C-alpha cells in the first residue's frame, strides 16, 4: 500500500520536471508501430461514462486527454463487440456490433476520430479462433443438425463409447475441464476455452471469407490495426488425435513438446491470406497474441508476410534475475531481427498477474496459483513496487515497441484479495475452483483518491475495489514528482527524445548483478544486487532516489553519457 508519504520517498532528486509531450512526427519511412508505445485499454474497467458500473466508450473518450498526457502512440482496446460476456467479451456474438454496455458503433467511430485528433491510433481486438455460442452461426449449427454445412463451420463430432456418451477425444480446455460439450442430438463440439466459446473450423471456406471481411470492416472504420486473439490455436488436425492423460499445456509451453491443437504449421498459410487483406491498406499493424514455447517458433509468426508484431511473453514470464532477463532480451532482439521484425515488449495484460505483484513474490513462486491460497506473508509489496518501476525503465529503453497495460503506469498491484463470490472469470468455475482466475488484474482503475468507485464512474464498479485503491489513484500521483505516473510520463518523453530512434543496443559489463546497455546517448542500468556506484554522465531519470550517489538495489537509471 502506498500513501503520499511513500510516494514522496520515491521522489528522485534526479527527476526532471514533468513536461507534456507534443506527439513528435515520426521519421519518414519508419512504420509507426515499430517503435510505438501502445496502451492496452480493458474497456470494462477503464472508465465508466454512464454510471452503470461498467467501463464504456464514453468513459474512454473522456479520458483521452489523460492518455495524451501520458504520451502513448496508440491504444489497443480489448473486445467491445456484442457478447454475452462470459469471457469478458472474448466470446463474440456479432463482430460488427458494439455491446450496448460499452456504447454504439457511432460512439466507437467518434472515439477513433477523437483519438486520432489527439495523435493516438486505435487498435482493436480480433477474435478468430472461436465465436460465442450466441453467434448466429452457432445457433444455426445447432438447429441444422449433424452433417450440415452449418455444423462444418465448427468442430462437431460424434462421441466415443457405445452410445457416444464420451467426448470425441481427451483434449482439455485451457480454462479446465474437457474441451468438448455434448449437444441435445448427441454430437459434441470443441471449445478450447469456455463451453460458450465454440472453436471455428478454419478449413471451412465460409469461416475464411467471413474473417477476410473483419479487418476490412475495422480498417474502414478507422482502426489502425488489430491484436489477434490466440493465433496458435487456429488449426486442428482432422484426425483429432488424443494427447494422453499426462498432457499439460503449461508443460508443453515450457518444454516445446508438440501438440495436435496448438501452433500447427498449417496456420501460417491462413495468416498470409489475412496479411494480404491488410496490405490493401497502408500502415496497418497486426499483432499476434502467441503463447508458444520458444522464440524459434514465435519468429515464424513474424515473417515478412505474416504478423507485424507478436508479444514477447518470454520477457513477461521471466523472473527477477539479471541473467535470465538479459538472455531473453538478447534472444528476442536476435530472433525478431532474423525475420526483419522488432521485438514487442509487455510486462502485464488482462490475462496475467500484474507485474508489481509478480515481482513482489520470491522467484520460483507461480503467481497464478499463489493467488488462490498462497502464503500472503511472502508478498513484499514494496519490493514489487520498486522492481516494477525499474522494469518499466528497462522495457521503455529497449529497441522495438512496448505495450503497457492500463494501470501499470500507476504501479497498480494485483487485487489478490478479491472474495471468490465476486469472481467473474470463467476460469474459476471451469478449473473446479483450483484457479482464482484473472479478475484481480481487471479491477476498475482508480482515478480519484476517494469518492464513488474512486472516480471510475458514478455507479459503483463491476468488480469491488479494495479500500486502499485510492492511494494509487491518478489524482494521488498526477504532478507529484517521483510518482509512478510521472516516472512513466518522463520515461516516455525521454524515450522519444533519446531512445526511440537510436537503433540497436550494446551490452555493457557492469558486473553480474547489473543489467547494463548503451543505446544512443543513453546508458540504461538495472541493479539487481547491492547498491553500486554510477558511471560519469547526467542522470536523466531514475526509478529510485540515489543512495548517496549510488544506484540502489532493484532500481534502474538512464544516464546521458555523451
Ligand atoms: C486470449 C485472451 C483471453 C481469452 C482467451 C480466449 O488469451 O487474451 O482473455 O480468455 O484468449 O479468447
Amino acid at each position: 500500500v502506498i500513501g503520499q508519504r511513500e510516494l514522496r520517498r520515491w521522489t528522485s532528486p534526479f527527476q526532471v520536471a514533468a513536461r507534456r509531450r507534443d506527439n513528435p512526427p515520426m521519421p519518414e519511412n519508419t512504420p509507426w508501430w515499430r517503435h510505438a508505445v501502445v496502451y492496452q485499454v480493458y474497456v470494462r474497467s477503464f472508465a465508466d461514462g454512464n454510471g452503470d458500473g461498467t467501463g464504456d466508450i464514453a468513459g474512454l473518450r473522456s479520458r483521452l486527454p489523460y492518455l495524451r498526457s501520458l504520451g502513448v502512440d496508440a491504444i489497443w482496446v480489448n473486445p467491445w463487440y456484442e457478447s454475452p460476456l462470459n469471457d469478458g467479451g472474448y466470446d463474440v456474438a456479432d463482430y460488427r456490433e458494439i455491446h450496448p454496455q460499452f456504447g454504439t458503433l457511432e460512439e466507437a467511430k467518434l472515439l477513433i476520430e477523437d483519438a486520432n485528433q489527439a495523435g493516438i491510433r486505435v487498435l482493436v481486438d480480433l477474435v478468430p479462433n472461436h465465436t460465442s455460442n450466441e453467434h448466429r452461426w452457432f445457433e444455426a449449427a445447432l438447429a441444422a443438425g449433424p452433417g450440415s454445412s452449418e455444423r462444418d463451420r465448427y468442430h462437431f463430432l460424434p462421441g466415443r463409447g457405445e452410445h457416444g456418451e464420451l467426448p470425441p477425444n481427451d483434449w482439455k480446455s485451457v480454462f479446465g475441464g474437457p474441451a468438448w460439450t455434448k449437444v441435445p442430438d448427441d454430437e459434441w463440439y470443441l471449445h478450447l476455452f469456455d463451453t460458450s466459446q465454440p472453436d471455428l473450423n478454419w478449413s471451412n471456406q465460409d469461416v475464411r471469407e467471413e474473417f477476410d471481411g473483419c479487418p476490412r470492416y475495422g480498417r474502414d472504420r478507422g482502426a489502425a490495426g488489430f491484436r489477434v486473439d490466440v493465433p496458435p490455436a487456429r488449426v486442428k488436425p482432422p484426425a483429432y488425435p488424443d494427447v494422453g492423460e499426462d498432457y499439460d499445456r503449461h508443460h508443453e509451453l515450457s518444454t516445446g513438446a508438440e501438440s495436435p491443437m496448438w501452433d500447427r504449421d498449417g496456420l501460417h498459410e491462413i495468416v498470409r491470406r489475412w496479411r494480404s487483406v491488410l496490405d490493401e491498406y497502408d500502415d496497418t499493424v497486426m499483432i499476434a497474441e502467441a503463447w508458444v514455447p520458444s522464440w524459434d517458433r514465435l519468429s515464424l509468426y513474424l515473417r515478412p508476410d505474416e504478423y507485424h508484431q507478436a508479444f514477447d511473453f518470454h520477457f513477461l514470464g521471466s523472473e527477477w534475475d539479471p541473467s535470465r532477463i538479459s538472455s531473453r532480451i538478447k534472444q528476442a532482439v536476435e530472433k525478431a531481427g532474423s525475420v526483419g521484425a522488432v521485438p514487442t515488449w509487455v510486462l502485464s495484460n488482462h490475462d496475467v498477474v500484474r507485474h508489481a505483484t509478480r515481482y513482489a513474490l520470491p522467484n520460483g513462486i507461480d503467481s497464478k496459483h499463489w493467488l488462490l491460497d498462497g502464503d500472503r506473508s511472502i508478498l513484499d509489496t514494496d519490493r514489487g513496487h520498486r522492481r516494477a518501476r525499474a522494469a518499466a525503465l528497462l522495457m521503455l529503453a529497449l529497441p522495438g515497441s512496448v505495450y503497457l497495460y492500463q494501470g501499470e503506469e500507476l504501479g497498480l498491484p494485483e487485487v489478490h484479495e478479491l472474495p471468490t463470490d465476486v469472481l467473474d472469470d470463467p476460469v474459476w468455475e471451469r478449473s473446479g475452483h483450483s484457479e482464482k482466475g484473472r479478475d484481480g488484474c481487471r479491477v476498475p482503475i482508480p482515478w480519484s483518491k476517494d469518492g464513488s468507485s474512486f472516480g471510475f464512474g458514478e455507479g459503483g464498479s463491476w468488480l469491488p475495489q479494495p479500500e486502499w485503491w485510492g492511494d494509487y489513484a491518478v489524482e494521488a500521483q498526477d504532478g507529484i514528482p517521483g510518482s509512478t505516473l510521472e516516472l512513466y510520463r518522463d520515461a516516455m518523453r525521454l524515450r522519444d527524445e533519446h531512445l526511440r530512434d537510436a537503433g540497436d543496443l550494446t551490452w555493457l559489463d557492469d558486473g553480474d548483478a547489473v543489467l547494463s546497455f548503451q543505446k544512443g546517448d543513453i546508458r540504461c542500468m538495472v541493479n539487481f544486487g547491492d547498491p553500486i556506484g554510477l558511471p560519469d554522465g547526467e542522470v536523466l531519470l531514475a526509478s529510485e532516489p540515489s543512495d548517496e550517489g549510488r544506484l540502489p538495489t532493484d532500481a534502474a537509471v538512464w544516464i546521458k553519457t555523451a
Side-chain angles (χ1 to χ4, degrees), residues 29-30 54 58 119 128 175 177 220 231 237 257 260 270 318 338-339 383 440 472 558:
N29 302 330
T30 310
T54 296
F175 292 167
D220 289 343
I270 298 173
S318 183
S338 72
V339 284
R383 187 174 65 189
Y472 290 85
W558 289 357

Side-chain angles (χ1 to χ4, degrees), residues 40 42 76 78-79 87-91 125 127 129-130 174-175 192-194 197 227-230 289 291 313 349-351 425-427 438 442:
Q40 179 190 350
Y42 194 72
W76 147 37
N78 284 102
D87 183 20
Y90 280 97
D91 45 327
D125 224 303
V127 189
N129 178 64
H130 41 264
V174 175
F175 292 167
L192 290 185
F193 293 91
D194 189 45
Q197 293 167 299
R227 175 269 191 190
V228 180
D229 195 51
V230 283
E289 184 230 10
W291 292 87
F313 293 128
N349 65 31
H350 65 293
D351 289 329
D425 185 352
V427 166
R438 301 160 292 176
R442 301 174 176 178

Side-chain angles (χ1 to χ4, degrees), residues 8-76:
R8 268 197 299 280
R9 200 172 65 65
W10 282 316
T11 301
S12 157
F14 316 130
Q15 228 137 19
V16 285
R19 272 193 271 138
R20 300 289 181 263
R21 170 189 138 198
D22 233 357
N23 285 2
M26 288 300 288
E28 267 178 59
N29 302 330
T30 310
W32 66 273
W33 43 266
R34 280 180 82 92
H35 308 283
V37 177
V38 183
Y39 184 95
Q40 179 190 350
V41 176
Y42 194 72
V43 69
R44 270 180 124 179
S45 302
F46 189 63
D48 175 14
N50 66 0
D52 67 354
T54 296
D56 48 35
I57 297 173
L60 171 53
R61 272 180 84 194
S62 73
R63 299 292 181 183
L64 284 174
Y66 170 77
L67 295 172
R68 183 173 158 75
S69 81
L70 196 55
V72 301
D73 301 292
I75 55 175
W76 147 37

Side-chain angles (χ1 to χ4, degrees), residues 544-561:
E544 295 293 316
S546 88
D547 173 359
E548 294 172 357
R550 294 176 306 165
L551 181 64
T553 309
D554 293 334
V557 67
W558 289 357
I559 300 171
K560 185 163 179 286
T561 52

Side-chain angles (χ1 to χ4, degrees), residues 296-488:
D296 283 330
R297 296 299 301 177
L298 194 62
S299 60
L300 301 178
Y301 292 73
L302 290 170
R303 288 174 289 190
D305 53 355
E306 300 200 20
Y307 292 94
H308 301 84
Q309 298 185 314
F311 298 118
D312 182 1
F313 293 128
H314 302 103
F315 175 70
L316 180 152
S318 183
E319 297 183 326
W320 190 251
D321 174 275
S323 70
R324 284 193 203 175
I325 293 185
S326 66
S327 75
R328 289 183 183 206
I329 294 172
K330 284 173 190 161
Q331 205 182 32
V333 171
E334 184 206 317
K335 300 284 180 180
S338 72
V339 284
V342 288
T344 302
W345 312 104
V346 57
L347 285 168
S348 278
N349 65 31
H350 65 293
D351 289 329
V352 298
V353 174
R354 282 186 180 276
H355 60 275
T357 298
R358 295 201 313 270
Y359 293 149
L361 292 167
N363 282 350
I365 295 290
D366 175 348
S367 55
K368 191 168 86 170
H369 288 103
W370 172 87
L371 273 187
L372 178 62
D373 51 11
D375 176 3
R376 291 323 194 233
S377 72
I378 62 176
L379 185 75
D380 184 337
T381 309
D382 191 43
R383 187 174 65 189
H385 193 78
R386 280 196 319 272
R387 290 179 174 180
R389 289 165 55 95
L393 289 199
L394 166 63
M395 177 168 74
L396 286 162
L398 293 173
S401 58
V402 170
Y403 280 66
L404 308 178
Y405 177 48
Q406 66 180 37
E408 75 170 77
E409 79 281 15
L410 304 175
L412 286 185
E414 184 85 2
V415 183
H416 62 80
E417 56 271 67
L418 282 178
T420 55
D421 60 351
V422 303
L423 297 179
D424 180 78
D425 185 352
V427 166
W428 171 239
E429 289 301 333
R430 296 280 311 163
S431 69
H433 299 179
S434 68
E435 281 182 39
K436 211 169 167 188
R438 301 160 292 176
D439 293 306
C441 66
R442 301 174 176 178
V443 173
I445 295 295
W447 294 92
S448 53
K449 287 190 253 184
D450 37 43
S452 165
S453 59
F454 300 104
F456 169 65
E458 300 289 311
S461 140
W462 69 279
L463 278 174
Q465 298 157 304
E467 59 184 32
W468 45 267
W469 213 221
D471 294 345
Y472 290 85
V474 173
E475 187 192 11
Q477 303 192 39
D478 191 21
I480 307 278
S483 69
T484 302
L485 176 58
E486 295 302 340
L487 181 76
Y488 270 75

